[in-house]
Amino acid sequence: MSKETHIEHLIRLVRKEKVSLFIGAGFSLEAKAPSAWDLQQAILNELPSDDMKKVHAEDGLDAISQFFVEEVCEGSRAELMDLLQKQFEFEPKCMDDHQALAAIPHFHNIFTTNYDTLLEDSYPKERCAVVKKDEDCVYIDSKPVRVFKIHGDFTNRDFVVITSQDYADLKKQKYNPLVWNEVKSAFTRTNVAFIGYSLSDENIINMIKFISKIVNRNQQQMFLIAPGINETKRNQLKKNHVSYIDATAKEFLTQLKKEIDENIGPDYRHHDVSEATFTKYCEQNGFDPVVKRTEQKKKDNEIVNYTPLKGTVSSTKSILR
C-alpha cells in the first residue's frame, strides 16, 4: 500500500471509532518534554567517575538506569526517581499536537509509555480517566477517554518502568494484570496506531512482538506513524504486521481533522459514529444539533437542524449536507 492509502484506511477506521492509540515520547518533544536521550545523559552525568561515564556513554536508557540503581545506588531506586522526576519539572512550550488530539472525540483508549502528564492534562478532567494501576480500572467506564500509563509516572514510583529489570518484569506481566487485560482487549477489539516512537528504540519493536504474543496474533491491524524510517526498518515493521505511515503526528492529525470535518454528518447519518461522539464534536465546533435517531441500521439518522452555541462561530456545511 502507498502512504496515502495507509493514511486513508486509518482515517476511515478512526471515523468509525475503531482505533486505539499508543503514544511515545516523540509526541511530547514539541512541548519540550525530555527525550530518552536527555534522561540517559542526566543519569550519565551522575556517574561518580570519568571511567564509568566512558564505559556507559552508549548505554540505552534501560541499561544505564539498571547500572545506576544496582552499582551506584546499591539497589535503591530513590535517587534515580528523584533525578528523573526533576527532569519532568518543565513548562510545556507548545501543546499544539496534544490539543489537536484532544479535539478529536473519536479516540477512547490511549495507551502511553510517557512519564509526563501532558496527555491527560489536555483533556477536561470530567472526560478523561487516568489508569496507572489495577485499582484505577474500577473507574474507566465512567468517562469517554481513558489514558493508560503502562510505564507509570512519578506519582507511584514503585511502578515506573525504566530499568532493564523493570522491562523484564513487565514482559512477565508481574504487576497490574487488570491493566494488561485492558491492553490485550484493545489490541483484539480495535486497530492500534503508534505515534511518537522511533525504531532506533528497540523497546517499541519488542513491545509490538510482546503484545502480539500475549494475544496469540489475534490483534487487529497495527499502524506506525513516523517520518523518514529507512527501508530496513520498514521491512522490520512489515515482518511484525505493522503498516507504516511516513508522516509526522502533526501531519496525520491535520489530515484526520480535515476528513472528520468533511464527513462527520454522513458518518452520523450512516451509524458510523456514535451519538455521544457526534454530539461532542458538534459542541467543540460551536453548535448543538437537532437530530432524529433511529435504532434501525438500515435507516439513516436524521440531522434536522442546529442551534449555534452562544458566543461561538461555527461552520455547519459538513453537518447538514
Side-chain angles (χ1 to χ4, degrees):
M1 280 190 178
S2 67
K3 166 188 169 182
E4 289 75 21
T5 303
H6 280 319
I7 288 180
E8 289 167 359
H9 181 48
L10 177 56
I11 286 174
R12 282 196 298 272
L13 292 170
V14 174
R15 283 168 43 200
K16 294 179 180 181
E17 303 179 78
K18 293 183 176 181
V19 176
S20 298
L21 294 178
F22 220 101
I23 291 182
F27 195 75
S28 294
L29 293 183
E30 190 177 57
K32 301 303 180 186
S35 66
W37 185 86
D38 293 327
L39 300 180
Q40 187 264 0
Q41 290 296 300
I43 299 169
L44 187 68
N45 289 336
E46 292 300 312
L47 298 185
S49 74
D50 289 341
D51 286 344
M52 278 188 187
K53 290 175 183 177
K54 286 179 182 179
V55 170
H56 295 280
E58 302 301 321
D59 281 2
L61 180 56
D62 56 344
I64 197 169
S65 296
Q66 185 72 37
F67 176 80
F68 188 75
V69 169
E70 295 298 330
E71 302 300 328
V72 178
C73 300
E74 299 183 344
S76 171
R77 290 168 60 93
E79 190 173 344
L80 176 66
M81 292 298 106
D82 288 342
L83 174 62
L84 294 177
Q85 185 167 357
K86 191 172 182 179
Q87 300 301 308
F88 285 92
E89 294 172 356
F90 69 98
E91 190 69 31
K93 299 298 181 186
C94 179
M95 291 287 287
D96 290 353
D97 288 348
H98 290 80
Q99 290 165 358
L101 174 58
I104 298 171
H106 297 60
F107 295 115
H108 302 293
N109 291 311
I110 302 173
F111 301 91
T112 182
T113 51
N114 294 353
Y115 307 114
D116 64 65
T117 62
L118 300 180
L119 272 172
E120 53 266 45
D121 291 346
S122 301
Y123 288 90
K125 288 186 177 180
E126 66 272 14
R127 285 187 56 78
C128 180
V130 182
V131 181
K132 306 171 190 176
K133 55 188 185 302
D134 279 357
E135 291 84 345
D136 300 327
C137 291
V138 176
Y139 308 104
I140 60 175
D141 290 332
S142 64
K143 297 181 181 180
V145 180
R146 297 167 285 275
V147 175
F148 294 84
K149 309 287 291 277
I150 63 170
H151 282 182
D153 64 21
F154 299 106
T155 60
N156 193 334
R157 293 177 165 196
D158 288 342
F159 292 112
V160 170
V161 176
I162 193 162
T163 68
S164 302
Q165 185 60 53
D166 293 335
Y167 280 101
D169 291 342
L170 187 69
K171 285 185 177 181
K172 296 174 185 175
Q173 302 175 63
K174 199 170 179 179
Y175 307 109
N176 297 319
L178 295 181
V179 173
W180 278 102
N181 285 342
E182 293 294 331
V183 176
K184 289 184 278 188
S185 177
F187 272 76
T188 54
R189 291 185 299 101
T190 67
N191 305 275
V192 177
F194 293 85
I195 305 178
Y197 290 98
S198 165
L199 292 194
S200 60
D201 179 4
E202 284 298 321
N203 283 324
I204 183 56
I205 288 294
N206 290 337
M207 177 69 72
I208 291 168
K209 290 179 179 177
F210 166 61
I211 293 174
S212 295
K213 182 179 179 180
I214 63 176
V215 299
N216 296 317
R217 294 196 177 277
N218 290 318
Q219 74 268 14
Q220 300 292 321
Q221 189 168 1
M222 295 183 288
F223 301 83
L224 185 133
I225 301 163
I229 287 179
N230 64 38
E231 195 64 29
T232 300
K233 295 293 188 181
R234 293 186 190 200
N235 289 335
Q236 192 177 13
L237 287 171
K238 189 174 182 179
K239 184 179 178 181
N240 287 282
H241 311 289
V242 179
S243 300
Y244 172 58
I245 295 173
D246 186 359
T248 64
K250 190 179 299 297
E251 289 168 342
F252 169 68
L253 291 171
T254 299
Q255 185 169 341
L256 174 60
K257 180 64 163 60
K258 179 176 180 291
E259 292 287 337
I260 292 176
D261 286 347
E262 292 174 354
N263 292 284
I264 189 70
D267 285 347
Y268 176 68
R269 287 193 181 93
H270 301 152
H271 302 268
D272 288 330
V273 68
S274 67
E275 184 169 5
T277 296
F278 174 72
T279 301
K280 186 61 183 177
Y281 168 87
C282 294
E283 175 191 312
Q284 291 179 166
N285 285 273
F287 55 93
D288 183 19
V290 179
V291 302
K292 287 185 179 178
R293 183 172 178 269
T294 175
E295 297 295 337
Q296 300 177 39
K297 293 291 184 180
K298 292 184 179 179
K299 290 187 66 177
D300 284 355
N301 292 320
E302 292 184 46
I303 304 171
V304 180
N305 208 331
Y306 70 95
T307 303
L309 296 175
K310 187 176 180 181
T312 65
V313 176
S314 64
S315 171
T316 60
K317 184 178 179 181
S318 67
I319 299 296
L320 298 179
R321 70 181 182 185

